Amino acid sequence: MLERKESPLVSPLIGEKSTIYSYILNDIANAVFQSGDRLVSTKLAEKYQTSINPVREALKQLQGEGFVTVEPNSGARVARFEYNTLRDVFEILQLLEPYLMSWFVEEHSEEDRNEMESLLKEMETATDQEYRALDTQFHWLTVKNHYNIKAVDLWRRNRLILLAMQSNVRLNTTRIKQSIEEHKRIISGLKNRDVTAVLDIMTEHIGNSGKYWTKYLSRNHI
Amino acid sequence: MLERKESPLVSPLIGEKSTIYSYILNDIANAVFQSGDRLVSTKLAEKYQTSINPVREALKQLQGEGFVTVEPNSGARVARFEYNTLRDVFEILQLLEPYLMSWFVEEHSEEDRNEMESLLKEMETATDQEYRALDTQFHWLTVKNHYNIKAVDLWRRNRLILLAMQSNVRLNTTRIKQSIEEHKRIISGLKNRDVTAVLDIMTEHIGNSGKYWTKYLSRNHI
DNA sequence: TTCATCAAAATTATGTGTAATTTATAAAAA
DNA sequence: TTTTTATAAATTACACATAATTTTGATGAA
């Protein structure tokens, strides 16, 4: 189709790579197209060197997945990611993560844990952009093999919305340090296969993250 | 577009009525199109008296929502609803229902409760087809006004999948009686605004329903 | 200035036609 | 008989064209 700068940030969460669908989703997740932006099919067709029909179909699919809203006779927009959305997404993740995680605690391999630890090492020296990518990889590792494909997909989509909302914003150092600490505790809980301990940390982890972002958003009147 | 027999069964869960999208979704939810059936765009265009582009777009949206699978260069099919799907759907509902319900316990009006009681009355004399419709209405009442739109939508979609899987099958009388009893207990819990009691009954209710259907499916090797 | 009105431009919605691809069918070879 | 291969039919994918609708912007009246 067209030259596209790679978006390594989101890659694990977006499967197929070379479709208009994934181009647009990448651009949404990386805030190239931001909350509320109009997605004009003719413009997109030009951008991706194709005709409008494939674009419209991609937009319809993204509408079905909740990333795009389509107003009849008025066109498509990036879904509005604002305060309420963030709250809703976090609350859904707070239901999903423990469910997905409890399976992982029992079933994960030592290999998984090693991979997590190497991710954690990278986190310690990462910039905030890199940190978000690593954090995503870390959690993706804990959900991607779960038997409930629908739940995994759900998690993935909500996580992408978070990424889209956050990619404009810098993480502060305190929150990163706190977050790394929480990841460490998760790993040690996994080592002991201690389900309740891990779930406790997880809920705390998501809760803290949620608090951080809702505070951020309310401070900035989004 | 075209004459369509109404599908009162699913109506509350499918919003807009006169689009190709909702026609197809209705037909899926009512098992006119069944699990795995091919959805040939030319045929559908003919059926709904339109061209293939709108059909393709509707199918793409349904793909995004998980009702349809699309294999490139091979076409669309109704998503496969089988044993694993049922398990996954029930497990997701088991996460969602308590979350949505706990809000309803606190916030519902007396009017809501009256409506639920009149639904319950109808249930006592309903055929199994009618029973499913009433049951759906009953639960829809408890979730539709929740502030978390994403969660509500999620519930709605999973519920539709259940309907699609079950619309072929007769409910037995014992299960209906048991189910009515559970509904009664839910209402009385609501009256007392007793969150924990209602949630307990809910988990039991979903659990029983899940058990019934997984048993049914495994017995019939689906 | 502010509001209402109307025409032009932009954009969406969808119908039609064609190339590319896959699937189905049947004949030929093992 | 079974497998392979070739051909025809069906179907998808997409470019293009046109109709319908909305948005924009200019003009004139209050």
Side-chain angles (χ1 to χ4, degrees):
Chain A
M1 304 274 154
L2 192 63
E3 32 66 47
R4 302 279 307 141
K5 68 166 193 295
E6 266 306 302
S7 317
L9 212 152
V10 194
S11 28
L13 300 191
I14 302 178
E16 13 148 31
K17 267 277 159 220
S18 52
T19 61
I20 296 157
Y21 162 83
S22 59
Y23 291 157
I24 298 175
L25 183 49
N26 256 298
D27 282 346
I28 291 174
N30 294 317
V32 177
F33 304 138
Q34 298 192 13
S35 167
D37 282 0
R38 285 199 66 185
L39 297 169
V40 177
S41 45
T42 50
K43 302 268 173 65
L44 292 171
E46 198 178 357
K47 177 172 181 185
Y48 301 125
Q49 295 289 320
T50 178
S51 74
I52 60 171
N53 284 23
V55 171
R56 286 180 58 87
E57 284 170 20
L59 290 174
K60 275 285 171 187
Q61 187 178 346
L62 289 164
Q63 178 191 11
E65 295 178 352
F67 295 110
V68 163
T69 58
V70 177
E71 204 76 33
N73 288 319
S74 166
R77 291 172 176 277
V78 178
R80 290 205 172 277
F81 305 137
E82 43 203 5
Y83 186 84
N84 285 347
T85 314
L86 194 68
R87 179 201 58 200
D88 293 354
V89 167
F90 266 110
E91 289 188 4
I92 290 172
L93 286 175
Q94 215 145 21
L95 296 175
L96 283 175
E97 293 260 17
Y99 165 73
L100 295 168
M101 194 56 150
S102 62
W103 178 87
F104 184 76
V105 176
E106 314 265 18
E107 302 294 334
H108 76 278
S109 64
E110 206 184 312
E111 227 173 298
D112 290 328
R113 226 165 43 227
N114 291 338
E115 205 172 331
M116 291 169 97
E117 273 176 342
S118 88
L119 284 171
L120 197 65
K121 269 214 184 64
E122 289 185 65
M123 281 181 183
E124 316 232 354
T125 58
T127 66
D128 66 334
Q129 274 289 327
E130 291 163 352
Y131 184 78
R132 256 191 293 269
L134 291 166
D135 184 55
T136 304
Q137 277 182 265
F138 186 97
H139 289 286
W140 180 234
L141 205 66
T142 70
V143 304
K144 68 174 184 208
N145 293 320
H146 194 281
Y147 61 84
N148 190 332
I149 303 166
K150 280 182 179 292
V152 172
D153 198 55
L154 199 54
W155 180 90
R156 199 180 51 79
R157 291 216 305 270
N158 280 282
R159 194 78 194 189
L160 278 172
I161 291 173
L162 277 195
L163 280 170
M165 295 185 75
Q166 297 171 356
S167 62
N168 271 336
V169 176
R170 292 191 56 115
L171 275 165
N172 79 41
T173 332
T174 324
R175 174 64 197 132
I176 291 185
K177 274 199 185 125
Q178 186 191 20
S179 178
I180 287 177
E181 218 39 59
E182 286 159 3
H183 284 117
K184 268 188 193 151
R185 285 164 59 208
I186 290 171
I187 293 177
S188 79
L190 287 172
K191 243 178 222 152
N192 307 326
R193 309 264 167 185
D194 185 341
V195 180
T196 46
V198 172
L199 294 197
D200 284 351
I201 306 160
M202 281 302 296
T203 359
E204 191 191 323
H205 181 53
I206 306 161
N208 283 337
S209 188
K211 263 182 226 154
Y212 180 81
W213 287 107
T214 40
K215 239 184 231 163
Y216 177 86
L217 284 193
S218 59
R219 207 167 47 236
N220 293 274
H221 316 295
I222 297 175
Chain B
M1 303 269 153
L2 191 63
E3 32 66 49
R4 304 277 309 140
K5 67 168 193 294
E6 266 308 301
S7 317
L9 212 151
V10 196
S11 29
L13 301 190
I14 300 177
E16 15 149 28
K17 268 277 159 218
S18 52
T19 61
I20 296 156
Y21 162 83
S22 59
Y23 291 156
I24 298 174
L25 183 50
N26 256 298
D27 283 345
I28 291 174
N30 294 318
V32 177
F33 303 137
Q34 298 192 12
S35 167
D37 281 359
R38 284 197 69 185
L39 296 168
V40 177
S41 45
T42 50
K43 300 269 173 63
L44 291 172
E46 198 178 0
K47 177 172 182 187
Y48 301 124
Q49 294 291 320
T50 178
S51 71
I52 60 171
N53 283 13
V55 171
R56 286 179 59 86
E57 284 172 20
L59 290 174
K60 274 286 170 185
Q61 186 179 348
L62 290 163
Q63 177 190 12
E65 295 178 350
F67 295 111
V68 163
T69 58
V70 177
E71 204 76 34
N73 288 320
S74 167
R77 290 171 177 279
V78 178
R80 290 202 173 279
F81 305 136
E82 43 203 6
Y83 186 86
N84 285 347
T85 314
L86 193 69
R87 181 200 57 200
D88 293 354
V89 167
F90 266 110
E91 289 187 3
I92 290 172
L93 285 175
Q94 216 146 19
L95 296 174
L96 283 176
E97 294 260 18
Y99 164 74
L100 296 168
M101 194 55 152
S102 63
W103 178 88
F104 183 77
V105 177
E106 313 266 19
E107 302 295 334
H108 76 276
S109 65
E110 206 183 312
E111 226 173 298
D112 291 329
R113 225 164 43 227
N114 291 337
E115 204 172 332
M116 291 169 95
E117 273 177 342
S118 88
L119 285 171
L120 197 65
K121 271 216 183 64
E122 290 185 63
M123 282 182 182
E124 317 232 353
T125 58
T127 66
D128 67 336
Q129 275 289 326
E130 292 164 350
Y131 184 80
R132 256 191 294 267
L134 292 166
D135 184 56
T136 304
Q137 279 182 265
F138 187 97
H139 288 286
W140 178 234
L141 205 66
T142 70
V143 304
K144 69 173 183 207
N145 293 319
H146 195 280
Y147 61 85
N148 190 334
I149 303 165
K150 279 182 180 292
V152 172
D153 198 55
L154 198 55
W155 180 90
R156 200 181 48 81
R157 291 215 306 268
N158 280 282
R159 194 77 194 193
L160 278 172
I161 291 173
L162 278 195
L163 281 169
M165 296 185 74
Q166 298 172 356
S167 61
N168 271 337
V169 176
R170 290 192 56 115
L171 275 164
N172 78 41
T173 331
T174 324
R175 175 60 199 133
I176 290 186
K177 276 201 184 124
Q178 186 191 22
S179 179
I180 287 177
E181 219 38 61
E182 287 159 1
H183 285 118
K184 268 187 192 153
R185 285 165 58 209
I186 290 172
I187 292 177
S188 79
L190 287 172
K191 244 178 221 153
N192 307 325
R193 309 266 167 182
D194 185 341
V195 180
T196 47
V198 173
L199 294 196
D200 283 352
I201 305 159
M202 281 302 298
T203 359
E204 192 190 323
H205 182 53
I206 307 161
N208 282 338
S209 187
K211 262 180 225 153
Y212 181 81
W213 287 107
T214 40
K215 239 183 231 163
Y216 176 86
L217 284 193
S218 59
R219 206 167 49 235
N220 293 276
H221 316 294
I222 297 177

